[in-house]
Amino acid sequence: MDITMDKKYAEPAKELNVYGAFDVIVVGGGVAGWSAAVAAGRAGADVLIIERFPFFGGTATASLMANIVGIRNQVKPNDLQVMRGIGEELVLELIAIGGAEKSRNAYESEQRSDRRGDLSYNYAFDTEKFKYVALKTALGAGVKILFHTWFSDVIKQGDKVTGVIFENKSGRQAAFGKVVVDASGDGDVAYRAGAPFWQTKAAEAPRLNDGLMYKVAGVPADTKAPGCLQGNTIVFWGPSPGAHNGADADELTREEIDARLAVYDDLNAKIEANPELKGAQIVDTGVLIGIRQTRFITGEYALSGDDVLEGRTFPDSVAVGVNPVIHSFGYRRFLTHTGYDIPYRCLVPKTVDGLLVAGRCMSSDQIAYESWRAMAHIFAIGEAAGTAAALCAKDGAEPRRLDVKKLQTALIAAGAEIGQSRKM
Ligand SMILES: Cc1cc2nc3c(=O)[nH]c(=O)nc-3n(C[C@H](O)[C@H](O)[C@H](O)COP(=O)(O)OP(=O)(O)OC[C@H]3O[C@@H](n4cnc5c(N)ncnc54)[C@H](O)[C@@H]3O)c2cc1C
């Protein structure tokens, strides 16, 4: 046995089966990855998406985070809906099948019309209907799906990512892609590729802690308990066992154990505060604790708290953010403008080619992240990444050198909001 004194094991080299060669490979099927795959597929790319769970949504479904916020700006007259495109389409389809409604118990915001271009700030949704609609949409976009599949490493030529290695029931395999989109949340692909990143260590501040969401049935419709209400069920923000590192296996396990052991005490405390919940039962917990933040990949630009608070615009805008900064100031700090731009450069990691990052590992500082983390913005960021990846694959361009005007034109043509509707 080849075990060295410093507990390293030299894995023997072996040949892997090649699963295929694609224009675009998306790693992770959360809100960002799903949007990226759908956008790339609709743009004509041959797309493979790999996801460890057998459904899409990531935090939104696996972690029961059933409340999309940040859809519309919150400065009167609230006339800019920033989540358009694929995210808006999903919400409208959910509304049509009784799977989403303006959140009643989560945040206060005015009710709009539930029509295209006139959505409210936030919607609570049925996580099972989300999975159903997201799956049908991905299939409709021609995306090749591999569920139950764990990304484990990158294939590189020099500084360029040219493919991925993954594991599933069929074994360890390789797939090649002209462009890879890292939508793993934790930046697993960029990390394995050696891209620079930063991370707040456990117990360091400021950072957003993780939390176990859980679903309770037998809830009266008029309950005042804060949560995501759907019919006679409600999803609660549950135990948050302090700062752990969701990208470290031991710490993540510790966190899951602590949160799961605390969940009934958490419900009992809520019943005490809201007696109408008496008799309500936990029917589900997230299969994964809700992980708010781990690695942030350092990109060609890092969105800053000042950009967010001052409402800065950028010539390479691919999405618009409006969500409040929720933590750094000790309170929910609402923005005083109609939105800040999210530049394409935040999706392009420094030093590594062939790769885009989408979703909660995007390049940013802490304060900015606490705003753009809202799912409404993550849908838009994912759509931008997928569209960019498809264009790069088609033109043989490196993400770093993509013609951003072409990307912006494609996004607007597909119905996305990148700041073109903002009244200056
Ligand atoms: C507790 C909590 C409460 C929140 N509250 C709200 C709220 O009220 N409203 C709101 O809008 N937003 C909220 N957010 C933020 C929002 O949910 C997230 O920012 C967003 O969902 C992140 O999406 P993502 O696609 O970037 O990442 P993720 O949801 O983390 O998706 C990553 C995907 O990649 C997959 N994956 C990861 N690693 C691998 C691998 N190695 N191989 C294969 N697959 C992999 C995962 O299974 C997952 O599907 C909350 C988040 C948390 C945790």
Side-chain angles (χ1 to χ4, degrees), residues 170-184:
S170 305
R172 188 170 166 87
Q173 298 163 78
F176 291 89
K178 293 177 184 160
V179 181
V180 175
V181 178
D182 182 351
S184 64

Side-chain angles (χ1 to χ4, degrees), residues 26-34 50-53 55-71 106-107 121-123 125 146 148-153 166-167 182-189 208-213 228 237-240 288-293 323 326 332 358-362 369 372-379:
V26 180
V27 174
V31 167
W34 172 79
I50 64 174
E51 164 57 46
R52 69 176 136 167
F53 296 125
F55 49 80
F56 293 119
T59 307
T61 52
S63 303
L64 296 178
M65 187 46 262
N67 180 43
I68 300 170
V69 302
I71 294 171
Y107 303 104
Y121 166 74
N122 60 335
Y123 283 80
F125 60 87
L146 258 186
H148 293 298
T149 297
W150 186 275
F151 160 84
S152 49
D153 215 338
F166 53 80
E167 306 256 0
D182 182 351
S184 64
D186 301 319
D188 285 4
V189 184
L208 298 184
N209 286 343
D210 304 335
L212 182 66
M213 310 287 295
C228 314
W237 280 258
S240 182
L288 170 70
I289 192 168
I291 298 173
R292 284 196 165 93
Q293 64 177 83
N323 202 51
I326 72 163
R332 186 171 291 273
R360 64 178 172 81
C361 53
M362 186 187 86
Y369 159 72
W372 63 256
R373 62 188 277 281
M375 274 188 272
H377 306 339
I378 301 278
F379 277 111

